[in-house]
Amino acid sequence: MSAIAPFVFGGLRSRVVFAPGAVERIGEEVARLGRSRALVLSTPAQASDAKALADRLGDRAAGVFTGATMHTPLEVTETALAVFGDLGADCVVSFGGGSTIGLGKAIAVRTGADQIAIPTTYAGSEMTDILGETKGGEKTTRRDPAILPETVIYDVDLTLGLPAGMSATSGLNAMAHAVEALYAVDRNPIITLMAAEAVRSLAVGLPGVIAAPLDRGARSQAQYGAWLCGACLGSSSMALHHKLCHVLGGSFNLPHAETHSVMLPHTVGFNAFAVPELMAPIEQALGASAGIALHRLAAGLGAPSRLTDIGLRREDIATVADIAMRNPYSNPRPFSRDDIVAILENAFAGTTPPY
Ligand code: NAD
């Protein structure tokens, strides 16, 4: 009988409320944290939802800031911090995707404010203590316990309007967190269980969402999977896939979720050669070897499949590889610069991965 490999499990520290209509409990959740003046955050596109949420909060709302934007630029954080201070707010409620939740984290880490995150995409930021910020066009990432939202409300009804294309790419962005948790250098049996369940849930939920975007059952499966994926991201070290996506997003401004969608089959197809036994949950859920299965899933969801279609120029591939080699993350399969170039070439052309 083989022994359980040694591991460290840090626990899951957020309160998670997962229920249809759960957004109605926002007042209770603010009070539960002992807070009484929430600043509601959103992007401009979700401003009317944020205002409706502030109305629901009534006296417990200090105000609304609707200027959240991609990559958490410092200028936006500074403006939001001024609003937070002027209104005498004592917590933030982040309503939206990773961009809005990033702004809430940026405020919390500077002020000690509690956060309630209400995610409306599948990106998973709400479950992590990771904050990526940009200053002068340069993106830096840090981890801090103060960055993790105290409370997360998953209300499936808030995802019904997420367009099909964004649902597909956001769901594959989530899937990448679970997949890399399966072979993470610091994996542990609990997170492995969650990752396997995440893959299973997304594998049924995402095709259902694309077939019928208003199907609350499919949406619920996708959102449940996304929660688990976020927890995987928050508890595990990510590997080559996330490294390449960070370079493509950070240095070449490629769109976040789409980049994950395009890259995932290729990075996983590369890594699966080294750890086929760890990829079993993907193969069980999707019915083929990991890279090929994810390639088929992405195609079936109508997600973009080529880097050329999302803004990379072929002549940039060499630079991406150079940057990725500078400070590589841990990875289950050793790789050379030539390997990176080959992965990027395949992702550029959208060919089926070898494994
Ligand atoms: P996003 O938050 O940028 O949202 C994209 C657009 O979709 C926005 O205009 C938003 O208002 C809109 N939107 C969101 N939900 C909607 C809905 N239900 N219906 C209609 N429109 C909706 O996109 P994202 O992919 O969720 O987040 C990407 C950002 O999050 C990136 O900056 C990424 O780096 C960050 N991120 C961080 C972490 C972390 O752990 N720190 C994890 C994942 C992503």
Side-chain angles (χ1 to χ4, degrees):
M1 192 183 297
S2 59
I4 301 292
F7 65 88
V8 174
F9 176 57
L12 296 170
R13 296 178 298 282
S14 314
R15 171 178 166 83
V16 171
V17 181
F18 188 103
V23 73
E24 289 169 21
R25 302 191 209 162
I26 184 64
E28 274 170 56
E29 292 299 330
V30 169
R32 198 173 183 282
L33 291 170
R35 305 295 170 191
S36 56
R37 291 190 63 73
L39 178 63
V40 180
L41 307 173
S42 77
T43 61
Q46 290 177 294
S48 58
D49 290 329
K51 286 176 185 139
L53 188 61
D55 289 345
R56 188 183 292 283
L57 273 166
D59 290 348
R60 291 199 178 98
V64 177
F65 178 83
T66 60
T69 183
M70 193 80 117
H71 305 313
T72 329
L74 191 61
E75 314 81 77
V76 173
T77 298
E78 282 169 352
T79 308
L81 277 169
V83 172
F84 184 87
D86 290 348
L87 293 172
D90 61 8
C91 64
V92 294
V93 174
S94 307
F95 181 96
S99 296
T100 301
I101 292 167
L103 176 61
K105 290 174 163 185
I107 294 172
V109 76
R110 289 171 173 83
T111 61
D114 286 340
Q115 306 167 66
I116 298 178
I118 308 180
T120 61
T121 70
Y122 304 133
S125 176
E126 65 280 358
M127 290 305 296
T128 82
D129 61 358
I130 306 165
L131 170 61
E133 301 183 281
T134 44
K135 184 181 173 188
E138 208 169 297
K139 188 160 184 174
T140 54
T141 302
R142 57 175 151 157
R143 287 189 106 121
D144 188 313
I147 289 171
L148 183 74
E150 278 68 18
T151 303
V152 182
I153 296 178
Y154 289 100
D155 181 340
V156 70
D157 295 345
L158 305 178
T159 63
L160 298 178
L162 188 66
M166 280 178 66
S167 300
T169 54
S170 191
L172 291 167
N173 178 192
M175 182 79 95
H177 310 328
V179 169
E180 291 225 302
L182 288 170
Y183 54 56
V185 64
D186 51 2
R187 64 185 175 276
N188 68 65
I190 303 302
I191 294 299
T192 297
L193 284 171
M194 294 179 78
E197 174 74 346
V199 170
R200 186 207 60 74
S201 197
L202 287 173
V204 296
L206 292 178
V209 164
I210 299 309
L214 298 180
D215 178 341
R216 293 161 105 238
R219 286 282 185 190
S220 174
Q221 289 283 345
Q223 193 178 36
Y224 170 61
W227 164 50
L228 296 168
C229 290
C232 291
L233 176 66
S235 304
S236 318
S237 299
M238 295 289 112
L240 180 64
H241 170 76
H242 278 75
K243 176 70 188 183
L244 289 179
C245 290
H246 289 165
V247 174
L248 289 163
S251 302
F252 295 88
N253 211 22
L254 263 58
H256 180 83
E258 290 85 342
T259 304
H260 278 275
S261 301
V262 172
M263 290 304 299
L264 189 61
H266 301 282
T267 47
V268 172
F270 176 81
N271 279 336
F273 272 111
V275 284
E277 71 290 356
L278 299 181
M279 298 290 89
I282 303 174
E283 302 184 3
Q284 279 158 15
L286 292 169
S289 61
I292 294 169
L294 288 165
H295 188 73
R296 282 189 200 149
L297 175 68
L301 298 176
S305 62
R306 307 188 308 170
L307 288 176
T308 179
D309 294 338
I310 60 168
L312 193 76
R313 298 174 310 167
R314 177 165 231 132
E315 56 268 35
D316 291 332
I317 287 179
T319 318
V320 177
D322 289 339
I323 300 173
M325 290 303 289
R326 260 183 232 152
N327 178 20
Y329 298 4
S330 61
N331 196 58
R333 180 174 173 187
F335 57 86
S336 65
R337 185 181 177 284
D338 286 349
D339 291 326
I340 304 280
V341 169
I343 290 169
L344 290 165
E345 290 280 3
N346 287 342
F348 189 83
T351 53
T352 305
Y355 190 79

